[in-house]
Amino acid sequence: QSALTQPASVSGSPGQSITISCTGTSSDVGAYNHVSWYQQYPGQAPKLKIFDVNKRPSGVSNRFSGSKSGNTASLTISGLQAEDEADYFCCSYAGTRIWVFGGGTKVTVL
Amino acid sequence: EVQLVESGGGLIQPGGSLRLSCAASGFTVSTNYMSWIRQAPGRGLEWVSNIYSDDNTYYTDSVKGRFTISRGNSENTLYLQMNSLRAEDTAVYYCARQRPVAGPFDYWGRGTLVTVSS
């Protein structure tokens, strides 16, 4: 049950697009389309932004989008805004009712 | 409105026991998939345990045999009994509702801090 690999930090200027990668294995990200992404502000609970690779829950801005290729999933934030500055975690189903998270990526809006 | 409120965290010595609670409102715990997820200081999230509506339970390897997830249906509350605690169990523990069957964790509580230290 190894953690998924995410870059420690990603930054961008307001209005730009950024992409956060999430690399797993053929036993988790590569095997299932159950990848989700969570946004977390300091001291707060995580909030679901993307599920099943590319689906957005009701109320989540369409500036957030997800994709997957092989063992790597990605979260793209377009039209970057100051409020997007937060930590982002990916999560994947790993079979046999087990879940694995990424180490998290700190997004900085320059 | 869905709400989850954790409680029961605190400072505990290695080898000790603690029971965490998660009071739910806006939905019924017993008919949903529920989870405990933890976050060590400055670290990423780690899935700990699930309990499904059919009462089946699942655990990450590092807590098997030490932690027990359960629910109190009349109280609409999720529990995590933690025994034989270790320093590496130190973390903020979140409860979350999970969409079936392999769905995401769609609602989270604000967490409760467990510190295992002598």
Side-chain angles (χ1 to χ4, degrees), chain A residues 1 38 40 45 51 97 99 101, chain B residues 52 60 94 98 102 105 109:
Chain A
Q1 300 171 13
Y38 302 86
Q40 185 181 36
F51 69 99
R97 304 294 191 262
W99 298 84
F101 282 90
Chain B
Y52 287 179
T60 192
Y94 298 98
Q98 184 177 15
F105 306 98

Side-chain angles (χ1 to χ4, degrees), chain B residues 3-116:
Chain B
Q3 280 196 333
L4 295 165
V5 179
E6 302 92 339
S7 61
L11 175 63
I12 187 77
Q13 290 190 339
S17 297
L18 213 54
R19 189 177 84 152
L20 306 183
S21 301
C22 171
S25 58
F27 72 101
T28 303
V29 166
S30 63
T31 59
N32 278 269
Y33 290 14
M34 298 298 297
S35 306
W36 287 99
I37 296 159
R38 67 185 178 184
Q39 186 172 32
R43 303 290 296 276
L45 298 167
E46 179 186 25
W47 170 78
V48 174
S49 180
N50 273 3
I51 184 167
Y52 287 179
S53 52
D54 60 4
D55 291 336
N56 282 321
T57 59
Y58 304 90
Y59 302 90
T60 192
D61 285 347
S62 63
V63 308
K64 282 180 184 175
R66 300 189 299 123
F67 289 12
T68 303
I69 190 172
S70 63
R71 52 176 181 241
N73 294 343
S74 60
E75 314 94 272
N76 207 34
T77 298
L78 179 71
Y79 300 103
L80 186 67
Q81 177 66 43
M82 304 186 296
N83 299 329
S84 302
L85 282 161
R86 306 167 181 167
E88 54 264 37
D89 295 319
T90 294
V92 174
Y93 284 73
Y94 298 98
C95 71
R97 190 183 76 171
Q98 184 177 15
R99 295 186 191 177
V101 168
F105 306 98
D106 60 355
Y107 287 97
W108 299 60
R110 296 180 69 92
T112 186
L113 175 62
V114 173
T115 302
V116 184

